[in-house]
Amino acid sequence: MIEKHIVLEDIDPVMFYGVGNAHLQMLRALYPKLRIMARDNVIRIMGDEEQMAAFEESSEKMRQHVLKFNNLTDEDILDIVKGKRTRDDVPDGVVVFSMSGRPIKARTQNQQRLIEAYEKNDMVFAVGPAGTGKTYLSIALAVKALKEKTAKKIILSRPAVEAGEKLGFLPGDMKDKIDPYLQPLYDALEDMIPQVKLQDMMEKHVIQIAPLAFMRGRTLSDAVVILDEAQNTTPAQIRMFLTRMGWNTKMIITGDMTQIDLPHSQKSGLIEALHILNNVEGIGVVNLDRSDIVRHKLVTRIVNAYETYDKEARGEKDQDKTDKA
């Protein structure tokens, strides 16, 4: 009796097998002359040689489908096995698919400009208020590069600066101490990569998440590198980070000028970098605004209210200076 092993690479086996191995049960019914067994990411098949060849072809198409769309339904399996036309091409504008199969793409003109700037430049600055999708879309672009093998790794970083509160001495090892600062990056990754696969990628350092201080001395090559919350870097920190760039690397730097948590006496490195690098070839700058906010509608109203308050506060200060003069 012929026996073969199929290894499911680059995907979460659970998504391939289905909840409660439902997809496996369907495949066993569709290939009655085969004995199909699965353990971890290895499928073991025995039986009829002709059906085995057909199963190998179908399983590879299913693997490619999961890799591309982060989803596999009973209908998809039937269409693949029966040789019917399936959705092979990713719709225009879609960067990647979320774990629920939802297409992740630009939802505003400025978000589309961010995607275009990333494609045209090796370094992109994305600046805008909270909720404009800067970090989420940047990570989607990085995940796409990893899936398409145009990059070998993703490196995510952000400065460890508290937003107005002191966290004190956190318990645990180094990872435990820095995780609270990096949680927004984990959240975005978990929405695009299966949890088991994400953990494996992090253990193998295909995806690396580290505070900015850990970047000194490194050369970052064959990677998509994202610096989040760059408004909280000092001029020396962002200069150090930007010069880590190596061969075949793209960098995305995101920040929100209205959420600078540095001491009042400390200048934001992002503001200085944008001024210095404004006309450097190969660097793109995308400014997002209130119209790009894609979170809850209240976020837009909150941002508007604070902008009005800030303008009024600045006006009162200017008036005080005029009165004193």
Side-chain angles (χ1 to χ4, degrees), residues 68-269:
K68 187 179 293 186
F69 298 104
N70 261 341
N71 191 29
L72 185 68
T73 66
D74 293 349
E75 290 77 12
D76 293 328
I77 294 173
L78 286 171
D79 287 344
I80 290 171
V81 171
K82 294 181 181 298
K84 294 182 179 178
R85 185 180 182 86
T86 58
R87 50 169 184 163
D88 295 324
D89 298 324
V90 174
D92 290 342
V94 175
V95 180
V96 292
F97 288 82
S98 73
M99 289 307 302
S100 63
R102 174 178 56 85
I104 298 172
K105 58 183 180 179
R107 295 172 61 181
T108 68
Q109 285 188 344
N110 284 330
Q111 287 187 355
Q112 183 59 39
R113 290 190 184 102
L114 171 55
I115 294 173
E116 292 169 358
Y118 170 85
E119 292 171 349
K120 294 176 182 176
N121 301 280
D122 288 335
M123 183 178 293
V124 179
F125 287 84
V127 182
T132 51
K134 306 180 298 296
T135 301
Y136 192 80
L137 193 56
S138 297
I139 290 178
L141 289 167
V143 170
K144 179 184 180 183
L146 206 59
K147 283 177 175 285
E148 295 178 348
K149 301 188 185 302
T150 57
K152 293 181 180 178
K153 54 183 177 284
I154 298 173
I155 301 172
L156 308 172
S157 185
R158 61 180 351 207
V161 177
E162 293 101 341
E165 57 182 319
K166 300 298 182 183
L167 297 181
F169 294 99
L170 295 170
D173 59 17
M174 181 57 69
K175 183 179 183 300
D176 294 328
K177 293 177 188 296
I178 65 175
D179 273 359
Y181 299 103
L182 306 174
Q183 192 57 49
L185 306 180
Y186 287 117
D187 292 342
L189 285 169
E190 288 172 354
D191 196 33
M192 302 176 204
I193 300 175
Q195 194 165 11
V196 174
K197 187 64 181 176
L198 176 59
Q199 187 64 34
D200 181 61
M201 286 178 165
M202 295 182 72
E203 289 175 357
K204 293 178 179 177
H205 302 290
V206 175
I207 296 178
Q208 303 172 26
I209 304 180
L212 185 58
F214 287 19
M215 290 295 174
R216 186 171 296 281
R218 298 185 65 183
T219 300
L220 309 176
S221 301
D222 297 310
V224 178
V225 187
I226 299 173
L227 175 60
D228 194 34
E229 302 287 354
Q231 76 278 0
N232 286 329
T233 60
T234 65
Q237 284 176 328
I238 199 166
R239 182 174 182 174
M240 175 274 293
F241 175 83
L242 297 178
T243 54
R244 300 304 94 200
M245 194 171 192
W247 294 107
N248 190 36
T249 288
K250 283 181 176 279
M251 280 189 170
I252 307 176
I253 299 92
T254 72
D256 178 1
M257 299 304 194
T258 67
Q259 294 189 356
I260 298 175
D261 300 312
L262 294 168
H264 292 298
S265 59
Q266 180 67 65
K267 184 178 181 180
S268 169

Side-chain angles (χ1 to χ4, degrees), residues 257-324:
M257 299 304 194
T258 67
Q259 294 189 356
I260 298 175
D261 300 312
L262 294 168
H264 292 298
S265 59
Q266 180 67 65
K267 184 178 181 180
S268 169
L270 179 59
I271 294 175
E272 182 176 278
L274 287 171
H275 175 71
I276 294 171
L277 304 175
N278 187 39
N279 295 314
V280 175
E281 184 179 355
I283 297 179
V285 179
V286 179
N287 290 295
L288 299 101
D289 55 37
R290 289 173 293 177
S291 65
D292 299 300
I293 294 175
V294 291
R295 289 182 188 166
H296 193 285
K297 59 185 178 182
L298 273 179
V299 175
T300 304
R301 297 173 191 169
I302 290 168
V303 170
N304 291 342
Y306 270 96
E307 282 193 4
T308 301
Y309 173 81
D310 290 340
K311 287 179 182 178
E312 291 175 351
R314 284 195 298 269
E316 290 176 2
K317 286 182 180 179
D318 292 342
Q319 186 61 46
D320 288 343
K321 290 179 181 178
T322 302
D323 293 344
K324 289 178 181 178

